[in-house]
Amino acid sequence: ESEREQRRRERLEKDLKELRTLLDNRQAELKQKSSFIQQGQEQIQRLELQMREHKANLERAQKDSNVQSIATQKYQQELEEQIQTNTQLLAENSQRMVELKMKEDEIQQIKAQATKEAKLRDQLLKKLKDLEEKRTEVEKQRDMARSQTVTLEREIDTLRRAADSDKKTM
């Protein structure tokens, strides 16, 4: 029995040793797993912090994007209004150019008419001057003819009186 006890004891010691080794291994594993868990929790905390930062950055970026989108829409609307205004001004400008061309044509016609009338006036003034000169000449000839007529009538009167006087003296 003592041998048996001895074997039992050896077996129990062996079992105890194995259990202690197993316990030590398990404690080491537990310590390692606790370390891994702690590292994992620290990493989770870092990742959660990064995620919150990224989320905040994303929200800021979305807000900025919304602001930029609103500004882009505003600028697009202003651009469309400016294009419409420019188109309208271009149409008005074209209309005014047509009107200006018509006015310039009308002015050219008036200038041509004025030049034509000035030439006609100059011709008429020249004719009037020529006619005045001719009239003056004709009036001079008329006055000379009257003067000659008066002179001739006097000579005729004188000759008639002389003829009457000669008839009476005869």
Side-chain angles (χ1 to χ4, degrees):
E1 230 183 89
S2 88
E3 244 179 62
R4 202 187 217 197
E5 275 283 321
Q6 178 79 24
R7 277 189 274 158
R8 187 172 164 225
R9 199 181 256 173
E10 284 176 4
R11 198 180 69 203
L12 284 175
E13 281 179 10
K14 185 179 170 191
D15 284 347
L16 182 61
K17 194 175 182 182
E18 285 177 2
L19 284 175
R20 278 191 183 154
T21 305
L22 183 63
L23 180 64
D24 286 343
N25 286 341
R26 297 261 170 129
Q27 281 181 343
E29 273 181 40
L30 184 62
K31 201 177 202 183
Q32 187 181 14
K33 287 183 180 182
S34 290
S35 174
F36 282 143
I37 288 173
Q38 184 157 356
Q39 288 174 356
Q41 286 178 340
E42 289 173 0
Q43 189 172 7
I44 287 172
Q45 288 174 350
R46 282 192 306 270
L47 289 174
E48 284 177 347
L49 179 63
Q50 287 178 355
M51 187 175 75
R52 283 192 299 271
E53 289 174 357
H54 286 302
K55 188 176 180 180
N57 288 339
L58 180 62
E59 288 175 0
R60 278 194 299 273
Q62 284 177 337
K63 286 179 183 177
D64 289 345
S65 176
N66 289 341
V67 168
Q68 292 299 324
S69 177
I70 290 170
T72 301
Q73 287 175 353
K74 178 184 172 193
Y75 293 140
Q76 183 67 31
Q77 183 178 1
E78 288 176 3
L79 175 65
E80 289 172 5
E81 289 172 0
Q82 191 63 44
I83 289 172
Q84 183 178 8
T85 301
N86 288 351
T87 303
Q88 187 177 15
L89 289 174
L90 186 61
E92 289 176 9
N93 191 27
S94 295
Q95 179 64 31
R96 288 188 178 152
M97 291 296 287
V98 168
E99 291 173 2
L100 180 63
K101 178 70 174 137
M102 289 173 57
K103 294 278 186 190
E104 287 175 348
D105 290 346
E106 186 178 338
I107 288 170
Q108 288 300 323
Q109 289 176 354
I110 290 171
K111 283 181 179 179
Q113 185 67 27
T115 303
K116 185 178 174 182
E117 289 176 1
K119 285 181 183 178
L120 183 60
R121 189 191 85 222
D122 289 344
Q123 289 173 350
L124 290 174
L125 286 174
K126 185 178 177 187
K127 282 184 182 180
L128 181 62
K129 183 179 176 186
D130 289 345
L131 287 174
E132 286 290 327
E133 288 175 0
K134 286 180 182 178
R135 188 185 82 183
T136 304
E137 185 64 33
V138 168
E139 284 179 351
K140 283 181 185 178
Q141 289 175 359
R142 183 194 69 198
D143 289 344
M144 281 178 58
R146 280 186 183 164
S147 173
Q148 287 175 353
T149 303
V150 169
T151 305
L152 287 175
E153 284 177 352
R154 283 188 191 150
E155 281 181 27
I156 291 174
D157 269 348
T158 307
L159 288 174
R160 269 193 200 150
R161 282 190 212 141
D164 282 342
S165 161
D166 282 342
K167 276 189 189 176
K168 284 187 187 177
T169 45
M170 277 209 215

